[in-house]
Amino acid sequence: MKNFSLLVKPASFNCNLRCEYCFYLEKRNIFRNAKLMSSEILEKMISSFLSLKMPCHSFGWQGGEPTLMGLDFFKKVTFFQEKYGNVGITVSNGLQTNGTLLDDEWCSHLAKYNFLVGISIDGPPEIHNKHRFTASGEGSYELVMRGLSALKRNNVEYNVLTLVSDANANFPIQIYNFIKELGCNFHQYIECVEFDNNGNLTAFSVKPPQWGEFLCKIFDEWYKYDRFKISVRLFDSILIKLVDNISNVCTMSDNCRQYFVVEHNGDVYPCDFFVLPELRLGNIMTNTWDDFINNPIYNDFGKRKSRLNQKCKECKYLFLCAGCCPKNRFGKGPVLPEKLSALCEGWELFFSHTIERFKGLAEDIKIQRQKELEVVKISFAKVSNPLRFQKVGRNEACPCGSGKKYKKCCGK
């Protein structure tokens, strides 16, 4: 069975914020009066997933806002993971949150079970509050900062996710330095791309040139001052691709079959951008993971990624871009995967500006790896050669460290 991860939506579209650009709130049209995930569904999902043989069982908890489930729900999560996890397996948990409900009790539990928390921050208050506000219309910045402080106090591993929209796209250096000043060394920048009913980019979406310029300026700042100190997820992924030829994010892969979305009611879908009735793969209460993996809908969905526009096929950056995320290929006219990404111009600008420096960094990494390998070889030789070749008297202590005489141990 191929490896995959789970993206779990225990609270479905429900959220305590009303972010203007949120793409998942519209799922209320599919899951009307959605309830929260039950213990029965949670246990079935965890027990069946952990029964599979994989190098790592990865759970991503998203929404909506997953912390609306309450801390007791996540205590059940870790209880079931411990109950059904066999000795020796690796379980990882990622929680993507707006941070407004986090406190010391929450963060103590997250720290105890090594959750990686992604907290959404779009910039300083005047920028963050433009699109990220509460149900009553008030800015959420202060509530988020309170949650961030709780993460820090309890030593929870976290990164900051920044959605790049019209609110912050023109201030890349300000945003980058602001996140650094928050004490965060792990940055993730995600493009805000949404289309209206006419296939045009919405007013709050980042425009193609803006996206390219934003990434270029952050890269220049990062490369000059922080390339050995700050992790930017996109930059890390590009280097992993160049060094190891591994696509560690789905957007760089040529097939959209990296994970399954599990909704509050146990329904399973291929991607959270495509939680649609026609792409429902089944339900974890009645289907198996083999059923989902072998579902023709899932396989056909995955193949859409490689149905590329002719310009993509001829592009020298295709091995990094992979045609961009299919959700960005819509726009005007019929929905076809062969369309160009709305951000194509921006990606071209970014890659042309940075590729040679990325290649240089990739070569540096390869050289450093080789040096480290040589150190290991040398260290091994220094430790092992005396044991293998040193002449030892039969009545002397055995050099293996057992405490026995050589004639009673390795000299038999």
Side-chain angles (χ1 to χ4, degrees), residues 33-89:
N33 302 315
K35 297 179 180 179
L36 304 181
M37 180 175 280
S38 68
S39 295
E40 181 185 17
I41 291 174
L42 177 67
E43 184 172 12
K44 177 67 173 180
M45 177 186 69
I46 291 176
S47 63
S48 60
F49 185 47
L50 294 187
S51 71
L52 306 176
K53 291 184 178 180
M54 291 185 184
C56 179
H57 295 76
S58 178
F59 297 82
W61 305 92
Q62 290 193 13
E65 176 49 45
T67 60
L68 285 177
M69 299 299 298
L71 179 54
D72 285 344
F73 175 85
F74 281 90
K75 288 182 178 180
K76 289 181 182 177
V77 167
T78 50
F79 171 78
F80 289 139
Q81 288 174 343
E82 289 182 319
K83 179 179 179 179
Y84 294 105
N86 296 320
V87 174
I89 74 167

Side-chain angles (χ1 to χ4, degrees), residues 83-112:
K83 179 179 179 179
Y84 294 105
N86 296 320
V87 174
I89 74 167
T90 300
V91 174
S92 69
N93 286 291
L95 175 71
Q96 183 60 45
T97 175
N98 59 39
T100 59
L101 301 178
L102 296 179
D103 57 20
D104 287 326
E105 188 178 8
W106 259 104
C107 292
S108 175
H109 185 75
L110 298 175
K112 179 180 179 181

Side-chain angles (χ1 to χ4, degrees), residues 327-341:
K327 84 170 184 72
N328 295 340
R329 300 184 195 173
F330 290 169
K332 294 182 178 180
V335 177
L336 298 172
E338 293 89 348
K339 288 186 176 182
L340 279 175
S341 164

Side-chain angles (χ1 to χ4, degrees), residues 5-15 21-28 30-31 33-39 41-42 45-46 58-70 73-74 77 93-98 120 161 194 259-276 283-284 289 327:
S5 58
L6 299 185
L7 184 60
V8 189
K9 305 272 191 176
S12 192
F13 60 82
N14 291 293
C15 188
Y21 49 46
C22 180
F23 75 94
Y24 213 75
L25 274 176
E26 67 182 32
K27 302 308 174 186
R28 57 191 166 196
I30 299 174
F31 305 110
N33 302 315
K35 297 179 180 179
L36 304 181
M37 180 175 280
S38 68
S39 295
I41 291 174
L42 177 67
M45 177 186 69
I46 291 176
S58 178
F59 297 82
W61 305 92
Q62 290 193 13
E65 176 49 45
T67 60
L68 285 177
M69 299 299 298
F73 175 85
F74 281 90
V77 167
N93 286 291
L95 175 71
Q96 183 60 45
T97 175
N98 59 39
S120 297
L161 186 150
E194 297 295 329
Y259 65 90
F260 290 108
V261 174
V262 182
E263 256 288 346
H264 71 289
N265 60 355
D267 284 350
V268 176
Y269 299 85
C271 173
D272 65 329
F273 290 120
F274 294 92
V275 173
L276 301 168
N283 189 283
I284 61 167
W289 297 111
K327 84 170 184 72

Side-chain angles (χ1 to χ4, degrees), residues 69 76 87 110 127 145 169 181 212 238 241 251 257 284 297 300 330 385 388 392 402 407:
M69 299 299 298
K76 289 181 182 177
V87 174
L110 298 175
I127 293 176
M145 290 299 106
E181 290 165 6
I238 290 172
K241 184 68 174 179
T251 52
R257 293 184 301 164
I284 61 167
I297 295 174
D300 290 344
F330 290 169
N385 284 349
R388 292 187 63 187
V392 182
S402 67
K407 66 182 180 182

